[in-house]
Amino acid sequence: MRTSTRRGVSRRVMAAAAVALAVVAGSAVATVTAVAQPDHGRARNVIYLVGDGMGRTHVDATRQRYYGAAGKLVMETMPTIGQVTTYAVQKNSGQPGQPDFVPEYVTDSASSATAWSSGVKSYNAALGVDAKGEVVPTLMELAKQAGYRTGNVSTAEITDATPAGQMSHALARGCQGPDYSAAACQDLAVTGEALPTDDVRVTPIADQIARNGTADVVLGGGLARFDAADERALEKQGYEVLGSPADQTVATRDDLQDADGRKVFGLFNRGNLTIEKFKRENPGAVQAAEPSVAEMTRAAIDLLDGGKKGFYLQVEGALIDKRSHANDAAQALEETKAFDEAVRVALSYAKRDGNTTVIVTADHECAGFNIIGKGSYTNAEAVTPPGNVDGGNTANSSAPSRASSGALDATRSTGPVNGSGATDAGNFAPATFRTPDDPEGVEDGSPEASLWLTYLSGNHTGAAVPVYAYGPGTRDLAGTVDNTDLFDVVGHALRVVR
């Protein structure tokens, strides 16, 4: 992998950043076949898709549940496949290779977003700042300054970590708005003393997004983070505002379909967007008027396409992570499938266009999702953990002796279930799902279902995540790369990084 930008951004990046930062400071299926990719290294457009919390098992299990063992998700048909390491660093740490470098092996979404957006390792909760709290430019800022059209789509609040990582600079990801709070925005462990409230690093993220113009198209959730002043600021910059932050009227799918401005701001829920299952089962509910991540992706591409230079679009399928934190296997799989439909939209456009790079990856794995043997159970279900064969060895990694079924904890082993949340001890029992390979009559939740899934925890893990890519400049993503390398790949494709 290139090393020219791994230890810091280039002079060209910093020159572009001076202008960009001046702005912020003021304020799938089995029938899909693999595709070949263009051979040149520069792209007119880049579409970067993030399955939040999407580990390797999320991809494998989604494929098996919906398409069977021999099927493929759309992302799996892309010609370049690799994996991404995701570790963060501790506060006030140096970068890799520096004497004061101290890793943090499990990342959150904020430090991960900062890694690919700005090319530096940072601490958990940091957005657009390095581990010592210094502002670093983001790819979306650099792309905007270089003349690209820009877009940011998410099924989370648009002020949440992954989308905010491209459009803001914050010491703490919780500084979302609508109002400033010292408790949410300051971090004395990094800065030593409180920063003045006009410093961008403690400015609520919603205020930054509404005023810095980093993204031409902003689609997602989080309307409650914005207010009337934000709406006025957006309109002053020429945004077509769908719905209304001023009176908290959410936008709808119909509003999005009618949008035709060069700048569009549309938020479809006061909080995170709604899971696909609820919308499907409640067609008359107000939430059913929310667009899917695929619909938002298609609309964003349509709105951004046709510019003189090209566009850079980031898309997040955030609810994979939200449902994994809740140990909700069924909806984690359905949201992964919905995200893959957004990949289909992006890849179809790229193949038609002929000069578009598409990258699909994740920020981290969530909850230690695993496929286990049919009819088996997890160690967490036992009254006491099974003893190791070599239990006297403190470094032991040998296979444990399995406890008998009579040693199961009744509160954590209730048979095949799909639990409702990480606080439910029963969620450690397997969730089971029928697949296309099962005989007729086999149902989800039954012992006969062939796909058995379980969770390790309700939190993130440090596992590497998959990356799939198509288009100019993506061959360096084959094999194992770090999340900061994604900054290099996208930056080179867009010509904003040397």
Side-chain angles (χ1 to χ4, degrees):
M1 194 66 208
R2 287 179 296 270
T3 58
S4 59
T5 56
R6 286 288 302 278
R7 302 293 180 243
V9 291
S10 67
R11 290 182 180 178
R12 180 178 177 185
V13 171
M14 294 307 296
V19 177
L21 294 180
V23 175
V24 300
S27 50
V29 297
T31 57
V32 175
T33 56
V35 292
Q37 63 182 324
D39 194 28
H40 44 292
R42 302 293 191 183
R44 176 175 172 80
N45 312 304
V46 172
I47 307 173
Y48 186 91
L49 299 106
V50 182
D52 198 306
M54 184 184 74
R56 178 72 250 181
T57 296
H58 290 79
V59 176
D60 290 339
T62 301
R63 178 199 330 112
Q64 292 167 7
R65 170 156 168 70
Y66 292 105
Y67 308 121
K72 283 185 182 294
L73 299 185
V74 176
M75 67 184 81
E76 294 179 294
T77 69
M78 299 169 75
T80 298
I81 300 175
Q83 64 177 358
V84 180
T85 55
T86 63
Y87 69 92
V89 295
Q90 293 183 16
K91 292 179 180 180
N92 298 307
S93 170
Q95 296 301 298
Q98 295 178 345
D100 55 350
F101 165 70
V102 183
E104 186 77 58
Y105 287 112
V106 179
T107 188
D108 78 341
S109 295
S111 57
S112 186
T114 300
W116 76 68
S117 297
S118 296
V120 298
K121 292 291 185 181
S122 198
Y123 57 90
N124 287 339
L127 289 168
V129 298
D130 67 18
K132 297 180 180 180
E134 297 299 318
V135 170
V136 284
T138 75
L139 278 170
M140 196 164 288
E141 291 169 345
L142 299 176
K144 179 72 171 179
Q145 170 60 22
Y148 290 91
R149 304 259 295 138
T150 51
N152 208 330
V153 169
S154 179
T155 55
E157 295 181 89
I158 206 69
T159 54
D160 204 358
T162 299
Q166 291 280 11
M167 303 184 293
S168 69
H169 304 272
L171 295 174
R173 61 181 288 181
C175 186
Q176 295 186 51
D179 301 317
Y180 167 81
S181 159
C185 299
Q186 299 281 355
D187 191 332
L188 303 188
V190 176
T191 60
E193 59 184 9
L195 298 178
T197 56
D198 62 352
D199 191 301
V200 68
R201 294 168 291 176
V202 294
T203 299
I205 292 166
D207 287 352
Q208 296 186 51
I209 293 171
R211 288 160 180 79
N212 63 29
T214 299
D216 295 309
V217 175
V218 178
L219 304 175
L223 187 67
R225 302 293 184 178
F226 297 83
D227 57 23
D230 296 322
E231 184 169 344
R232 291 192 296 271
L234 289 161
E235 290 176 339
K236 185 175 181 180
Q237 296 171 77
Y239 282 89
E240 178 183 355
V241 179
L242 312 181
S244 173
D247 61 17
Q248 290 293 290
T249 300
V250 297
T252 66
R253 179 187 294 106
D254 289 344
D255 294 332
L256 181 58
Q257 290 172 347
D258 292 340
D260 59 4
R262 282 189 57 78
K263 293 185 175 183
V264 175
F265 181 90
L267 303 184
F268 307 94
N269 195 304
R270 297 188 73 244
N272 299 318
L273 297 192
T274 305
I275 60 172
E276 290 301 315
K277 178 178 185 290
F278 181 89
K279 293 191 291 182
R280 186 181 67 252
E281 294 179 350
N282 299 274
V286 64
Q287 293 91 337
E290 297 174 12
S292 68
V293 64
E295 290 170 330
M296 289 192 293
T297 301
R298 182 177 293 106
I301 291 172
D302 289 345
L303 290 165
L304 294 170
D305 198 13
K308 290 183 179 180
K309 191 159 189 176
F311 67 80
Y312 175 41
L313 171 63
Q314 179 173 289
V315 176
E316 181 194 25
L319 301 183
I320 302 168
D321 181 68
K322 309 297 185 190
R323 300 322 304 158
S324 294
H325 277 294
N327 285 184
D328 183 347
Q331 299 326 306
L333 297 183
E334 184 162 354
E335 292 302 323
T336 304
K337 181 176 182 290
F339 173 70
D340 197 54
E341 290 303 312
V343 176
R344 184 192 304 280
V345 170
L347 186 58
S348 295
Y349 172 83
K351 289 190 284 185
R352 292 193 309 271
D353 176 71
N355 196 17
T356 294
T357 289
V358 179
I359 297 172
V360 182
T361 189
D363 48 358
H364 53 73
E365 196 277 341
C366 187
F369 204 27
N370 276 293
I371 301 170
I372 63 174
K374 181 177 179 179
S376 64
Y377 60 91
T378 70
N379 288 357
E381 294 175 72
V383 173
T384 57
N388 286 315
V389 174
D390 186 15
N393 182 352
T394 57
N396 170 65
S397 61
S398 59
S401 300
R402 298 295 291 166
S404 69
S405 60
L408 296 182
D409 183 335
T411 65
R412 292 189 293 176
S413 183
T414 56
V417 296
N418 185 43
S420 59
T423 57
D424 180 353
N427 286 355
F428 288 106
T432 72
F433 300 92
R434 69 160 286 113
T435 73
D437 300 315
D438 287 337
E440 284 189 31
V442 173
E443 298 180 350
D444 290 350
S446 70
E448 294 77 25
S450 57
L451 179 60
W452 285 53
L453 300 171
T454 191
Y455 287 98
L456 173 68
S457 75
N459 296 311
H460 300 172
T461 71
V465 296
V467 60
Y468 309 93
Y470 168 89
T474 60
R475 289 180 176 171
D476 282 338
L477 293 177
T480 300
V481 299
D482 187 67
N483 53 10
T484 54
D485 292 322
L486 295 163
F487 172 87
D488 296 350
V489 170
V490 174
H492 279 266
L494 293 174
R495 305 169 184 83
V496 297
V497 173
R498 289 191 187 276

